[in-house]
Amino acid sequence: MKNQIKFKASCLVAALLFIPVAQAAVSSKSEYAAVKARMAADYKVDRAACDASSGNAKDICVEKAKAREKVGLAEAEFAHTGSTEDGNKLQIAKAESAYAVAKEICDEKSGNDKDICVKEAKAAEAKIQGDVKMGKKIDSAMQEDLKTQRDANYKVGLEKCDALSGDAKTGCVTKLKTTYGK
């Protein structure tokens, strides 16, 4: 039975992390606003459906509704902007939402089982947050490396232009400045 509960909790976390994006083609501000409004309306409906439950089942239902809204809004923002930063925010939203739901599920347990459940959920969240941080560092390092390469190529190009004279040299330098954004 213990493994069955762990399996169900794992499936729930996985499902939250991979909720399909129905609004993946958002491109304009009006479409983005419509998606946000729909997410708010869906949350209200989901939240109202939770009133039929009581106790921890209601708490779990409410957390699931909040998670769907939070992840849906983050997905809409990422689909609208397509920025890496919003992609990172989406991953963080998924991790935080999965943790919140798993934590509520853990409330049904007691003693050591509850402690283990909460720590497993927290570890899953921490792993995703760590992956996002590592991705930011890798992205930053790659951008710095590209800048260093571009600067080096620009300097090499300037040296080649120095071998020329007159209009040829001016044209060469102008082309380099345009190419390398200097």
Side-chain angles (χ1 to χ4, degrees):
M1 180 159 165
K2 189 176 180 181
N3 287 336
Q4 186 180 23
I5 293 171
K6 282 184 181 180
F7 177 74
K8 287 180 181 179
S10 297
C11 288
L12 175 67
V13 170
L16 280 172
L17 290 176
F18 299 106
I19 295 173
V21 182
Q23 63 275 16
V26 174
S27 60
S28 70
K29 286 184 180 183
S30 62
E31 290 172 326
Y32 173 62
V35 168
K36 284 175 59 176
R38 190 179 78 232
M39 293 304 304
D42 287 350
Y43 171 73
K44 288 179 183 176
V45 169
D46 290 346
R47 180 66 178 84
C50 295
D51 291 337
S53 303
S54 64
N56 196 48
K58 182 176 182 177
D59 294 342
I60 292 170
C61 181
V62 169
E63 282 302 324
K64 286 180 181 180
K66 287 179 184 177
R68 281 190 290 274
E69 180 187 36
K70 184 176 185 175
V71 171
L73 290 173
E75 286 173 338
E77 184 70 25
F78 176 60
H80 179 65
T81 65
S83 74
T84 303
E85 182 180 336
D86 285 335
N88 291 338
K89 287 179 183 177
L90 172 59
Q91 294 305 316
I92 296 293
K94 286 179 178 181
E96 290 173 350
S97 296
Y99 172 68
V101 171
K103 191 172 157 189
E104 283 299 326
I105 291 171
C106 293
D107 282 348
E108 292 181 344
K109 300 176 182 187
S110 63
N112 193 43
D113 286 343
K114 181 177 180 177
D115 294 342
I116 291 170
C117 181
V118 170
K119 287 181 182 182
E120 286 175 340
K122 188 65 179 169
E125 178 191 30
K127 181 195 178 307
I128 292 171
Q129 289 179 338
D131 289 349
V132 169
K133 285 180 184 177
M134 183 173 53
K136 287 179 183 178
K137 289 179 182 177
I138 290 170
D139 186 47
S140 175
M142 287 175 59
Q143 288 179 4
E144 189 175 314
D145 184 48
L146 287 173
K147 184 184 181 313
T148 302
Q149 289 176 12
R150 290 178 61 80
D151 289 346
N153 288 338
Y154 177 72
K155 288 178 183 177
V156 168
L158 282 178
E159 286 296 320
K160 289 180 180 178
C161 290
D162 282 344
L164 304 172
S165 63
D167 288 342
K169 182 176 182 176
T170 305
C172 180
V173 170
T174 303
K175 183 178 177 183
L176 276 176
K177 287 182 178 182
T178 302
T179 302
Y180 293 103
K182 302 285 181 176

